[in-house]
């Protein structure tokens, strides 16, 4: 029982604020937002490319979205 109490009191090995659990430097909020913005730009570009190369599927998706919007209740 005492061993369990001792384990709870111990701090994790990577408790430094400037490193994460893997020992890598922790990223700042600005870096995370920049990476997220880059990811969203690339995702939007990929979706646009898919819509260009599959026009029938893109049109069907637009029609489904329009139907969802028409039947949405506030």
């Amino acid at each position: 029982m005492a061993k369990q109490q001792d384990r709870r009191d111990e701090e994790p090995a990577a408790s430094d604020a400037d490193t994460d659990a893997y020992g890598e430097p922790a990223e700042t909020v600005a870096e995370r937002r920049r990476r997220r913005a880059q990811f969203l730009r690339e995702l939007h570009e990929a979706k646009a490319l898919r819509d260009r190369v599959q026009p029938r599927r893109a049109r069907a998706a637009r029609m489904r979205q329009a139907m969802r919007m028409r039947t949405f209740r506030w």
Side-chain angles (χ1 to χ4, degrees):
M1 189 73 146
K3 289 182 182 179
Q4 289 178 349
Q5 183 65 28
D6 292 340
R7 284 189 200 133
R8 278 186 242 139
D9 292 338
E10 292 176 5
E11 293 183 12
S15 63
D16 298 334
D18 58 347
T19 61
D20 63 5
Y22 301 106
E24 299 286 327
E27 65 180 352
T28 64
V29 174
E31 289 172 342
R32 182 182 174 278
R33 286 185 180 155
R34 183 177 34 78
R35 280 191 320 110
R36 183 175 185 272
Q38 177 68 29
F39 170 77
L40 291 175
R41 277 193 300 271
E42 290 174 358
L43 180 64
H44 181 72
E45 181 182 342
K47 285 181 179 180
L49 176 63
R50 185 182 62 199
D51 289 349
R52 281 196 306 272
V53 299
Q54 298 177 340
R56 184 178 297 166
R57 186 173 292 175
R59 182 174 185 269
R62 280 195 311 274
M63 298 302 242
R64 283 192 300 273
Q65 178 65 18
M67 184 61 72
R68 276 195 299 267
M69 296 305 286
R70 280 195 296 265
T71 59
F72 181 77
R73 305 213 27 141
W74 293 97

